[in-house]
Amino acid sequence: MKKAISIFIFALTAHCISAESGHQLWLRNSKANPVTIVCKKKSATIYLAMEELQHGWQGAANASFVLTVKPDKAIKGDGFKLSANNIQANTDLGILYGVYELLRRQRTGRPAGNETCNPDYERRILNHWDNLNGTIERGYAGLSVFWREGDNAFVVTETDRQLWREYARANASVGINGSVLNNVNASPDMLTAEILNRVKAITDILRPYGIKTYLSVKFSSPAMIDGLNDSDPLNPEVIKWWNNKVKEIYSLIPDFGGFLVKANSEGQPGPQDYGRNHADGANMLADALKPYGGLVMWRAFVYKPSGEDRAKQAYNEFMPLDGQFRDNVIIQVKNGPVDFQPREPFSPLFGAMKKTSVMAELQITQEYLGHSVHLVYLAPMWEEFLQSDTYQTGIGSTVARCTDGSIYPLKHTAIAGVANIGLDTNWCGHHFAQANWYAFGRLAWNNHLTSEQIAGEWIKLTFGQIAEKADPSGTVIKAEWNLNFLKPVKQMMSDSREAAVNYMMPLGLHHIFAPEHHYGPGPWWAPGGVRKDWTPPYYHQADSFGIGFNRTPSGSNAVSQYHEPLRSLFADPQTCPEIFLLWFHHLPWNFKMKSGHTLWDEICYHYDRGLQEVRQFQEAWDRAEPYIDHRRFTEVQSKLREQCRNAQIWKDACLLYFQQFSRKPVPYDMERPVNDLEDLIKMDFRKL
Ligand code: GCW
């Protein structure tokens, strides 16, 4: 039988042919069909929902679609019920979220079904580490979208408003409903009248999109701004100062979200400066905010050069305070016990604090994962974290369930991500870094989505690859996703985090970065006079015996902070998952791994694998060239080249440095290092 001949025509929509800047993110213009919208309710948010539907409708032409705001017990918070011709919600914002979900489904080919979609967390918040002078701590995508220096620093221009609108729309489209507008290393000026007026202007733009604004505050603000004698949280003058300040803020912004506080951490002031504890400090602010419905997000990122293992310190400080916080305080805990490393076990505080609301802080900006140069899709890391079982209330006590109210009756639930957004045209510096912003929002809404599903959605929305199958006469017989593009690009994204772990810090190694910028390798960096816990040798502990940080009972005993069976599992090198081996153990170079290799050989193979994986990403991307616009193709291609050069440097630097201790050859069946250690040590990694 003669096979039917068919040809593929790749539908190059207008945006593919014209130059692509990436500014549109995953919200691309596509030709909409006419639709009749029926909605009785009127509000700024409903107006936005109707506008989005009108401009984005991909369903049948001239269909009629009903939006209904009507209370329903099955719908929680700003959730919604979605069906083929109707969205129902309790709130106007629920309608807007429903519209974004519907349009996403239409554009990614998923049916609207008959579903109720409720958010897993009440607050889904971006943390901007933006300084008032416009710079961004750990920001790699240009200056702040909110703040700037100079004569017009406080003038709100139409360009500002337009950008804030685009920002708000992008966030709302993935369900993000809060923004902390400034760095946790906060300037006291943040609470001065001029700045608060700008916060009001920003909030007015963000409000119809359902985004609340929050501010990071410096704990010593009363003394610093108004010259009070101290900022002791039990001092009545200080309490009065905060009450007045909060009143002033709410008179400008009646729906203000609340405060985020970094206290007694990395030199920031806090209640301990006055002999008080975290609960004293957090509760004082919580009491001031309570009458207005505001929240305090109090960070648990604390450690001191005390001789105690840094990984244990947050737990030591916060566990004794469990149950002492007001119900409008949430303790904000970084996913891992150290600091946003390429891989860490979950922080033992999750699930352990049973009488306090605890929220996770993730880092979307890639401080430790290649800045805006490396292509690293972070959702697999977040998925691994959220699905980690803490065992705190038996099997299935995952971090996700311990934080979203499924297990503990939490008054407030929330999740935060440190934003990767700046003034760069494509917002994030790297086109693929947009996927991390997108993925954070999607996981904050539904913490059970898989990283793979999110990647698939994002690729379809961002690159819009549809292949049309036509018969020989040119008649389209089927439109389908272009798998030649979708599959390999999704694979590249899914593999990218593990690749970065491999070429940077495999097998539980951590924090072996060059100092300050945290970009390139610096396993050797340990000048005299520097705090030990800021130097890589503190973390890798390489010596002639072996490598790794002993956190078992014979070492720092950090394993004791985990619930059984994890405690025993982590404490035994035979049962400890190999991905965490050197996090918990100091092992001899010839320790036998599950693969049969010695530890040294295994380390070498991991570094080399990481490098080879990046080379494969380069090839996969080159093969994707026919299907994508020139600008985004070449920009990503060039970044992948740089990532590959960097991966080579990571591999060479770590292997040649550790080899001085292992005194063993690099396995003969793998590629040799190509750089000299002396050169690497002298290199300025800021210019890697
Ligand atoms: O990861 C470290 C960063 C600091 C940051 C700190 C924190 C905002 O290197 O730049 O400060 O964490 O999270 O407070």
Side-chain angles (χ1 to χ4, degrees):
M1 211 179 78
K2 222 172 153 196
K3 262 197 185 163
I5 310 160
S6 59
I7 49 167
F8 282 95
I9 304 164
F10 293 104
L12 295 176
T13 51
H15 68 253
C16 277
I17 296 161
S18 64
E20 279 283 344
S21 69
H23 190 71
Q24 288 186 73
L25 298 161
W26 50 86
L27 294 162
R28 319 198 61 77
N29 295 327
S30 38
K31 236 178 91 229
N33 285 330
V35 58
T36 308
I37 305 167
V38 183
C39 182
K40 289 200 190 117
K41 187 86 193 282
K42 280 199 177 67
S43 73
T45 303
I46 292 288
Y47 175 76
L48 289 173
M50 293 175 68
E51 200 182 40
E52 292 285 8
L53 209 47
Q54 219 120 42
H55 291 153
W57 178 258
Q58 306 291 303
N62 302 315
S64 145
F65 200 88
V66 187
L67 305 175
T68 320
V69 183
K70 194 173 98 193
D72 183 322
K73 282 215 182 79
I75 304 174
K76 305 253 167 343
D78 295 316
F80 52 87
K81 261 189 182 166
L82 178 63
S83 65
N85 50 15
N86 175 266
I87 293 171
Q88 186 192 336
N90 292 336
T91 62
D92 297 2
L93 186 54
I95 296 288
L96 181 63
Y97 288 150
V99 165
Y100 283 124
E101 175 66 19
L102 174 74
L103 296 179
R104 177 163 42 239
R105 288 183 186 216
Q106 289 186 340
R107 292 179 51 210
T108 57
R110 272 179 70 206
N114 255 334
E115 268 174 67
T116 303
C117 304
N118 289 321
D120 281 330
Y121 297 98
E122 170 199 328
R123 317 259 173 156
R124 307 170 294 276
I125 305 177
L126 285 186
N127 287 186
H128 289 270
W129 286 357
D130 295 17
N131 300 312
L132 292 178
N133 66 3
T135 60
I136 303 180
E137 183 154 350
R138 312 304 178 186
Y140 313 104
L143 294 172
S144 171
V145 298
F146 301 118
W147 314 105
R148 61 172 164 258
E149 247 178 349
D151 293 344
N152 68 345
F154 303 113
V155 182
V156 177
T157 64
E158 192 39 44
T159 313
D160 286 334
R161 287 201 195 89
Q162 180 53 30
L163 194 66
W164 298 339
R165 235 172 259 128
E166 290 171 357
Y167 162 87
R169 175 176 180 238
N171 279 327
S173 76
V174 289
I176 291 169
N177 67 358
S179 302
V180 181
L181 299 179
N182 63 311
N183 192 352
V184 287
N185 291 326
S187 159
D189 295 346
M190 198 64 220
L191 294 176
T192 56
E194 255 173 340
I195 308 276
L196 289 178
N197 276 324
R198 192 166 171 89
V199 174
K200 176 186 160 37
I202 296 169
T203 311
D204 288 344
I205 301 289
L206 270 45
R207 184 173 293 112
Y209 291 93
I211 297 168
K212 276 186 189 296
T213 50
Y214 301 75
L215 296 178
S216 296
V217 295
K218 200 174 197 76
F219 200 75
S220 54
S221 295
M224 292 181 80
I225 301 178
D226 282 324
L228 269 65
N229 288 336
D230 57 51
S231 298
D232 180 348
L234 302 193
N235 174 351
E237 290 301 308
V238 171
I239 296 172
K240 202 165 119 206
W241 188 92
W242 281 109
N243 286 342
N244 288 336
K245 187 50 76 182
V246 166
K247 194 169 163 198
E248 180 191 342
I249 296 174
Y250 278 91
S251 70
L252 289 168
I253 307 163
D255 50 358
F256 178 66
F259 295 147
L260 171 63
V261 193
K262 173 175 178 178
N264 293 121
S265 160
E266 297 188 330
Q268 291 298 326
Q272 292 173 353
D273 302 352
Y274 310 98
R276 318 295 181 194
N277 64 30
H278 290 291
D280 297 326
N283 291 344
M284 182 267 296
L285 295 175
D287 289 343
L289 290 159
K290 181 86 180 178
Y292 309 93
L295 291 189
V296 174
M297 293 168 287
W298 190 270
R299 293 176 93 228
F301 178 66
V302 294
Y303 64 102
K304 300 190 175 74
S306 60
E308 175 64 292
D309 176 3
R310 172 171 170 186
K312 290 177 68 181
Q313 294 188 32
Y315 184 98
N316 289 348
E317 265 188 63
F318 278 84
M319 275 310 282
L321 301 175
D322 191 19
Q324 294 184 28
F325 294 94
R326 301 281 192 268
D327 67 4
N328 58 333
V329 175
I330 312 187
I331 304 302
Q332 182 165 314
V333 183
K334 289 189 181 181
N335 59 291
V338 170
D339 192 9
F340 296 139
Q341 297 300 293
R343 171 169 277 128
E344 297 189 41
F346 67 87
S347 160
L349 279 169
F350 290 107
M353 287 189 92
K354 298 185 167 61
K355 292 175 266 169
T356 308
S357 297
V358 171
M359 65 189 280
E361 177 178 323
L362 308 173
Q363 196 179 41
I364 309 170
T365 191
Q366 291 167 238
E367 173 181 358
Y368 295 101
L369 283 136
H371 297 188
S372 55
V373 178
H374 296 201
L375 189 162
V376 184
Y377 174 53
L378 298 174
M381 167 157 85
W382 300 334
E383 183 181 26
E384 177 180 303
F385 161 68
L386 289 165
Q387 297 314 322
S388 295
D389 201 339
T390 71
Y391 293 96
Q392 287 285 351
T393 60
I395 293 176
S397 316
T398 57
V399 171
R401 299 185 69 238
C402 287
T403 51
D404 69 6
S406 311
I407 294 185
Y408 307 125
L410 302 174
K411 176 86 190 242
H412 295 286
T413 62
I415 187 164
V418 180
N420 62 349
I421 297 158
L423 280 177
D424 274 7
T425 308
N426 70 18
W427 299 89
C428 301
H430 192 307
H431 292 290
F432 277 79
Q434 297 177 352
N436 293 331
W437 179 9
Y438 181 88
F440 169 75
R442 299 288 288 132
L443 280 171
W445 181 277
N446 179 349
N447 60 20
H448 284 85
L449 285 179
T450 66
S451 56
E452 203 196 322
Q453 180 182 338
I454 300 171
E457 266 179 20
W458 178 80
I459 297 169
K460 288 176 180 176
L461 295 170
T462 305
F463 296 108
Q465 286 292 315
I466 296 187
E468 290 181 350
K469 203 169 184 185
D471 68 15
S473 71
T475 312
V476 173
I477 47 174
K478 204 165 135 201
E480 59 189 32
W481 293 102
N482 174 10
L483 296 182
N484 292 336
F485 182 84
L486 192 63
K487 254 184 99 185
V489 173
K490 191 159 90 178
Q491 192 64 48
M492 169 172 80
M493 288 174 72
S494 298
D495 294 345
S496 60
R497 184 273 183 136
E498 203 60 44
V501 169
N502 282 332
Y503 64 73
M504 288 181 177
M505 276 160 256
L507 299 168
L509 286 171
H510 51 287
H511 226 313
I512 57 176
F513 292 94
E516 290 161 29
H517 55 76
H518 299 159
Y519 184 68
W524 49 79
W525 190 80
V530 170
R531 264 172 75 162
K532 288 264 174 305
D533 58 349
W534 281 349
T535 70
Y538 171 88
Y539 298 97
H540 64 63
Q541 302 275 325
D543 56 23
S544 57
F545 170 84
I547 184 168
F549 198 126
N550 182 0
R551 295 192 163 110
T552 70
S554 68
S556 79
N557 204 17
V559 292
S560 68
Q561 296 180 337
Y562 289 92
H563 199 281
E564 287 291 13
L566 289 181
R567 186 183 304 168
S568 309
L569 203 86
F570 288 158
D572 179 349
Q574 298 306 329
T575 55
C576 180
E578 286 190 344
I579 53 172
F580 299 133
L581 198 60
L582 303 177
W583 182 280
F584 288 114
H585 297 274
H586 186 72
L587 295 171
W589 294 108
N590 60 3
F591 176 83
K592 190 100 180 265
M593 302 293 291
K594 295 204 175 74
S595 62
H597 297 137
T598 64
L599 173 59
W600 165 251
D601 282 0
E602 188 85 3
I603 291 175
C604 293
Y605 287 128
H606 272 276
Y607 275 102
D608 191 54
R609 188 178 313 148
L611 170 61
Q612 302 307 333
E613 282 172 299
V614 182
R615 296 213 176 114
Q616 283 160 22
F617 300 160
Q618 286 188 285
E619 185 192 323
W621 189 247
D622 282 355
R623 286 182 190 276
E625 182 171 9
Y627 315 120
I628 177 181
D629 56 282
H630 184 67
R631 175 162 171 187
R632 286 190 296 180
F633 172 74
T634 50
E635 285 176 356
V636 171
Q637 186 188 46
S638 156
K639 296 229 173 192
L640 280 168
R641 290 191 185 120
E642 196 172 347
Q643 182 174 0
C644 198
R645 295 195 295 275
N646 292 180
Q648 178 84 58
I649 282 170
W650 268 99
K651 169 189 155 183
D652 293 1
C654 295
L655 291 189
L656 294 175
Y657 171 75
F658 291 138
Q659 193 177 34
Q660 301 177 114
F661 301 97
S662 80
R663 301 188 170 280
K664 292 176 189 304
V666 167
Y668 298 112
D669 58 355
M670 71 172 242
E671 270 182 23
R672 328 311 292 163
V674 297
N675 295 287
D676 288 323
L677 184 60
E678 308 84 81
D679 297 337
L680 294 168
I681 289 177
K682 277 188 259 152
M683 214 164 156
D684 179 356
F685 288 109
R686 257 159 279 224
K687 296 200 194 98
L688 248 189

